[in-house]
């Protein structure tokens, strides 16, 4: 199984990496900064909504909005795939603590924000996207899961798809099962590849259980090893013409992906 | 689009384990709802709890998946010869070519709740609760793929109450685009404090057995269920064809449906368009029908907009409770049963129907052969999915 795709635009939201330009600077030899991913770059939510919405929403939406802007596509248009291993860990922590102590006091807003498709739902509301906006999980395989889902949609529907990959950090006992120390979100608008254009090719690779990608600068390699979503840094580097293929992205179950620039 | 069939299916919910038990419950009007007896929950409500889930042990390599959600999934896989059907599927296709797509909203959260109730003195999980394959939304598809030996793409869909309807669309796309030759799809949601107290906090839980489409309905009851189906282009036997699907978003509010049902209307229309059917070719609709005042009113209006004259329709949630992430598979199985058996289930507990729905909501089960059925699933985040199935 292999499929050609075009990356029409991409976006990024992580500490020190508030956008694609910041990534390009680090790939060119610059230092990784320490600024927080800025919610000020989200225009699709009002300032009040930005303050009230969960962290996963702010993080993912910033990346998604950048990707649409870079692709020159109206955010309301593409179907979207949100993929995350753990969803909103801060809300899970709140829910489980409250249920253990004072269940009758559970906040209705936090409850409806606890669904795994909260980031997808807020995106749909903010962007006015009335097509399909779905939410997946593949645990630590979520990047590969999302890429396969997005690729199958581009092939089946022959129109661009927004793929948003994100995972945050456990700040509490969930650290025992989820170790990342840095949140990460990125987004791609993926489209049909015409023959003449620069494209990437995805190959399903059975039994691929170990990543094998060209090296990144140390600070980025550390992020990529820290958070399973941040393995997408390899694909972002490739799309910036900074990396060379192929990338081999492993999965614990199901096929991994070999990704290379299309010849 | 490839001609896709449902080659096998099974369902376990409060109304019964396995298709024969469910057929009997539907015909005899025997609800699976009971007064709330879920541990650590004091709420005055009724629930659709499946008997014996707590007694299931996942053995060997599967022990890493031990949680109520996967125990319920294991119970369901044991019914209707589904494991044998999956084994036969593995004879027809290489394991790498069989996708596994499972919908859930609760996943392993009841185990996460327990881990937080039993933190050690340092505020950390006790060793027995450090279960990375359980404390993730993906536990559901990961477990099913491991239990059945499926090695194609594995994906958990988690879009609240539309989750396990969307798995059929996902499977169809994976097959259509060449990532898989067939798929095991399904949905699993289990009772937990998060949803019991969560829906209570939104004032959507009824203290009586729920009454979908009744003008005096007071809200929903929560339930749990697990169901599975095999989606395959050229099966040896077929229970029905997947004709169409529509997936849309309300783009309106996280927890309230669009006031005019715009997303629901669009989902039904997209499904009809994909199926190549006119509205009057649909013979039965299994509604989302949660029995909340708002859902049933808006769904009624949406049905009136899509169908000039809506076909016989019912909500089966008074049998099962609202099984959330498993509602899609639960009601798809009920829809396929009505297609195969020529028996349309009643909207149980609807005594005095909402006036606008009185002419099409079934108050009694009806023997009637139909050629195409529709199932609606709408969820938080404004996520809507409509499926249409046709005779084999």
């Amino acid at each position: 199984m292999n499929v050609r795709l075009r990356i029409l635009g991409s976006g990024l939201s992580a500490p020190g990496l508030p956008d694609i330009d910041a990534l390009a600077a680090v790939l060119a030899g610059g230092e990784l900064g320490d600024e927080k991913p800025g919610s000020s770059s989200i225009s699709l939510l009002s300032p009040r909504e930005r303050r009230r919405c969960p962290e996963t929403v702010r993080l993912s939406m910033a990346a998604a909005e950048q990707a649409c802007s870079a692709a020159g596509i109206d955010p309301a248009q593409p179907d979207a795939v949100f993929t995350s291993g753990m969803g909103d860990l801060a809300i899970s922590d709140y829910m489980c603590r409250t249920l253990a102590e004072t269940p009758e006091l559970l906040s209705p807003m936090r409850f409806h924000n606890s669904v795994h498709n909260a980031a997808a739902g807020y995106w749909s509301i903010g962007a006015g996207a009335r097509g399909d906006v779905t939410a997946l999980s593949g645990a630590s395989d979520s990047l590969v899961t999302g890429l396969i889902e997005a690729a199958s949609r581009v092939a089946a529907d022959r129109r661009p798809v927004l793929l948003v990959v994100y995972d945050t950090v456990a700040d509490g006992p969930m650290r025992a099962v989820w170790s990342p120390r840095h949140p990460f979100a990125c987004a791609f608008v993926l489209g049909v590849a015409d023959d003449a254009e620069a494209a990437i090719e995805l190959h399903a690779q059975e039994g691929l259980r170990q990543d094998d990608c060209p090296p990144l600068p140390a600070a980025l390699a550390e992020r990529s090893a820290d958070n399973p979503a941040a393995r997408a840094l390899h694909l972002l580097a490739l799309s910036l013409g900074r990396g060379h293929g192929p990338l081999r992205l492993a999965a614990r179950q199901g096929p991994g992906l070999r990704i290379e620039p299309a010849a | 689009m490839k001609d896709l069939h449902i080659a096998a299916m099974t369902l376990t919910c409060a109304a019964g384990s396995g298709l024969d038990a469910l057929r009997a419950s539907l015909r005899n009007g025997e609800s699976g709802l009971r007064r709330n007896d879920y541990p650590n929950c004091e709420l005055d409500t009724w629930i659709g709890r499946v008997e014996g889930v707590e007694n299931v042990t996942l053995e060997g390599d599967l022990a890493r998946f031990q949680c109520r959600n996967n125990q319920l999934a294991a119970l369901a896989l044991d019914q209707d010869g589904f494991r044998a059907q999956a084994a036969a599927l593995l004879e027809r296709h290489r394991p790498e070519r069989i996708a596994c797509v499972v919908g859930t909203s609760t996943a392993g959260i009841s185990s996460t709740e327990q881990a937080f109730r039993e933190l050690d003195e340092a505020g950390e999980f006790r060793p027995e609760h450090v279960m990375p394959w359980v404390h993730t939304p993906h536990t559901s598809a990961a477990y099913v793929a491991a239990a059945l030996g499926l090695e194609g793409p594995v994906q958990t869909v988690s879009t609240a109450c539309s989750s396990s309807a969307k798995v059929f669309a996902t499977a169809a796309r994976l097959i259509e685009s060449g990532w898989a030759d067939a798929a095991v799809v399904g949905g699993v949601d289990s009772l937990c404090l998060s949803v019991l107290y969560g829906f209570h906090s939104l004032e959507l839980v009824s203290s009586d057995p729920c009454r979908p489409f009744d003008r005096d309905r007071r809200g929903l009851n929560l339930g749990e269920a697990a169901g599975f189906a095999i989606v395959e282009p050229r099966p040896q036997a077929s229970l029905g064809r997947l004709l169409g699907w529509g997936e849309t978003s309300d783009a309106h509010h996280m927890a309230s449906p669009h006031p005019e049902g715009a997303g629901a209307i669009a989902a039904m229309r997209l499904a009809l368009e994909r199926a190549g059917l006119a509205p009057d070719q649909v013979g039965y609709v299994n509604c989302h029908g949660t029995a909340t005042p708002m859902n049933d009113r808006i769904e009624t209006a949406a049905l009136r907009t899509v169908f000039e004259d809506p076909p016989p329709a019912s909500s089966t949630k008074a049998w099962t409770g609202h099984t959330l992430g498993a509602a899609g598979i639960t009601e798809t199985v009920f829809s396929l049963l009505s297609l195969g058996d020529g028996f349309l289930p009643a909207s149980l507990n609807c005594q005095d129907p909402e006036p606008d729905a009185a002419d099409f909501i079934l108050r009694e089960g009806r023997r009637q052969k139909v050629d195409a059925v529709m199932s609606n699933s709408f969820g938080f985040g404004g996520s809507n999915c409509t499926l249409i199935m046709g005779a084999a």
Side-chain angles (χ1 to χ4, degrees):
Chain A
M1 178 63 208
N2 62 73
V3 60
R4 284 164 59 95
L5 291 172
R6 238 189 121 196
I7 298 177
L8 301 169
S10 53
L12 176 61
S13 175
L17 296 167
D19 54 32
I20 294 289
D21 287 346
L23 173 64
V26 179
L27 287 167
E31 294 279 310
L32 182 63
D34 57 3
E35 66 269 45
K36 288 187 174 164
S39 63
S40 58
S41 59
I42 303 172
S43 73
L44 295 174
L45 294 177
S46 69
R48 183 169 171 273
E49 287 169 324
R50 280 205 300 269
R51 275 196 310 276
R52 287 167 60 102
C53 73
E55 184 201 359
T56 48
V57 173
R58 275 195 297 275
L59 194 71
S60 61
M61 202 177 244
E65 192 172 328
Q66 290 169 33
C68 289
S69 166
I73 193 171
D74 175 354
Q77 287 307 312
D79 282 356
V81 175
F82 282 67
T83 185
S84 169
M86 299 300 277
D88 199 307
L89 286 151
I91 291 185
S92 300
D93 187 285
Y94 161 81
M95 292 278 299
C96 290
R97 280 182 202 278
T98 305
L99 290 167
E101 291 157 15
T102 49
E104 292 277 357
L105 299 183
L106 195 71
S107 147
M109 194 176 81
R110 299 257 205 135
F111 169 60
H112 72 60
N113 284 346
S114 75
V115 294
H116 189 65
N117 61 320
Y122 277 98
W123 169 257
S124 156
I125 294 165
R130 293 181 169 78
D132 186 29
V133 179
T134 196
L136 318 177
S137 179
S140 58
D141 295 344
S142 294
L143 169 63
V144 166
T145 309
L147 280 165
I148 292 175
E149 172 65 15
S152 84
R153 284 170 181 259
V154 170
D157 300 336
R158 308 291 296 169
R159 48 171 206 241
V161 167
L162 170 66
L163 170 65
V164 186
V165 185
Y166 68 95
D167 260 304
T168 58
V169 171
D171 182 19
M174 286 284 277
R175 280 184 306 250
V177 296
W178 187 253
S179 62
R181 292 178 299 115
H182 303 285
F184 184 88
C186 72
F188 301 92
V189 178
L190 300 170
V192 178
D194 297 325
D195 285 345
E197 289 162 328
I200 55 168
E201 210 162 270
L202 269 57
H203 304 261
Q205 195 165 331
E206 290 157 13
L208 181 60
R209 298 287 177 254
Q210 194 87 49
D211 280 2
D212 181 9
C213 298
L216 290 171
L220 298 176
E222 192 204 316
R223 291 296 178 85
S224 167
D226 172 59
N227 186 330
R231 294 150 72 211
L233 285 167
H234 292 285
L235 184 54
L236 289 166
L238 187 75
S239 74
L240 289 171
R242 291 288 181 169
H244 41 89
L247 318 177
R248 289 188 178 82
L249 297 175
R252 292 189 297 179
Q253 287 181 310
L257 287 175
R258 191 175 84 246
I259 304 176
E260 51 201 336
Chain B
M1 187 174 104
K2 282 186 181 167
D3 195 18
L4 289 177
H5 292 259
I6 311 303
M9 64 181 183
T10 188
L11 175 67
T12 290
C13 61
S17 289
L19 301 182
D20 286 342
L22 290 166
R23 282 187 175 103
S25 295
L26 290 176
R27 269 161 218 256
N28 302 332
E30 288 164 6
S31 169
L33 296 174
R34 65 173 80 199
R35 273 202 180 279
N36 177 25
D37 57 358
Y38 188 76
N40 301 307
C41 182
E42 304 301 318
L43 297 176
D44 178 19
T45 182
W46 291 59
I47 59 172
R49 182 164 73 76
V50 175
E51 203 70 59
V53 178
E54 20 324 292
N55 303 331
V56 176
T57 304
L58 305 180
E59 308 273 4
D61 175 54
L62 299 176
R64 65 196 154 120
F65 292 106
Q66 184 85 37
C67 65
R68 186 175 184 89
N69 228 59
N70 293 330
Q71 289 161 236
L72 179 55
L75 262 187
L77 290 171
D78 286 336
Q79 313 302 319
D80 297 307
F82 195 84
R83 289 181 197 270
Q85 296 274 4
L89 183 69
L90 283 158
E91 299 283 317
R92 299 198 288 278
H93 306 278
R94 291 194 303 124
E96 296 83 4
R97 298 293 301 165
I98 305 173
C100 178
V101 188
V102 178
T104 189
S105 72
T106 60
I109 198 74
S110 64
S111 289
T112 317
E113 292 167 3
Q114 187 186 358
F116 272 81
R117 276 199 305 277
E118 299 172 5
L119 296 176
D120 68 16
E121 279 152 21
E124 303 293 339
F125 282 179
R126 294 183 186 279
E128 64 270 29
H129 294 313
V130 179
M131 298 186 75
W133 287 95
V134 163
H135 303 296
T136 163
H138 185 49
T139 191
S140 295
Y143 165 70
V144 175
L148 299 180
L150 311 176
E151 295 174 23
V154 187
Q155 181 186 122
T156 297
V157 180
S158 190
T159 54
C161 306
S162 64
S163 302
S164 62
K166 291 171 80 69
V167 298
F168 286 90
T170 303
R173 274 189 296 268
L174 289 170
I175 294 169
E176 172 87 18
S177 59
W179 288 92
D181 294 332
V184 172
V185 301
V188 193
D189 244 39
S190 51
L191 287 165
C192 55
L193 299 177
S194 296
V195 299
L196 285 160
Y197 282 101
F199 280 97
H200 172 70
S201 76
L202 288 165
E203 300 178 352
L204 294 175
V205 174
S206 170
S207 55
D208 302 314
C210 67
R211 296 158 72 181
F213 292 101
D214 192 288
R215 67 168 79 193
D216 290 327
R217 63 189 179 279
R218 306 262 165 84
L220 54 78
N221 302 135
L222 290 153
E224 60 189 351
F228 299 98
I230 290 173
V231 178
E232 198 180 3
R234 288 170 299 280
Q236 290 177 323
S238 173
L239 301 171
R241 284 184 299 152
L242 178 61
L243 294 180
W245 62 87
E247 299 171 284
T248 64
S249 305
D250 280 357
H252 171 68
H253 188 270
M254 276 305 294
S256 299
H258 185 278
E260 277 101 48
I265 291 166
M268 288 189 262
R269 286 184 170 154
L270 270 176
L272 285 164
E273 187 185 325
R274 199 181 281 272
L277 294 181
D280 64 6
Q281 291 175 282
V282 173
Y284 166 70
V285 180
N286 188 300
C287 301
H288 189 53
T290 56
T292 63
M294 201 192 291
N295 177 85
D296 294 7
R297 178 168 47 77
I298 292 171
E299 191 172 8
T300 297
L303 286 163
R304 286 249 171 250
T305 304
V306 173
F307 298 94
E308 203 172 314
D309 185 13
S314 56
S315 160
T316 42
K317 285 192 168 67
W319 266 280
T320 61
H322 187 359
T323 62
L324 308 176
I329 189 72
T330 299
E331 290 151 27
T332 299
V333 169
F334 285 155
S335 299
L336 285 160
L337 283 179
S338 61
L339 192 65
D341 297 351
F343 179 80
L344 313 182
S347 217
L348 189 65
N349 294 351
C350 178
Q351 284 145 12
D352 186 6
E354 172 100 1
D356 288 348
D359 59 327
F360 65 88
I361 287 293
L362 291 162
R363 292 165 60 199
E364 307 263 326
R366 183 188 290 180
R367 287 213 152 275
Q368 184 175 328
K369 190 171 167 4
V370 291
D371 296 322
V373 295
M374 175 184 275
S375 179
N376 280 337
S377 300
F378 310 134
F380 279 2
S383 176
N384 309 298
C385 183
T386 295
L387 300 175
I388 299 178
M389 282 72 64

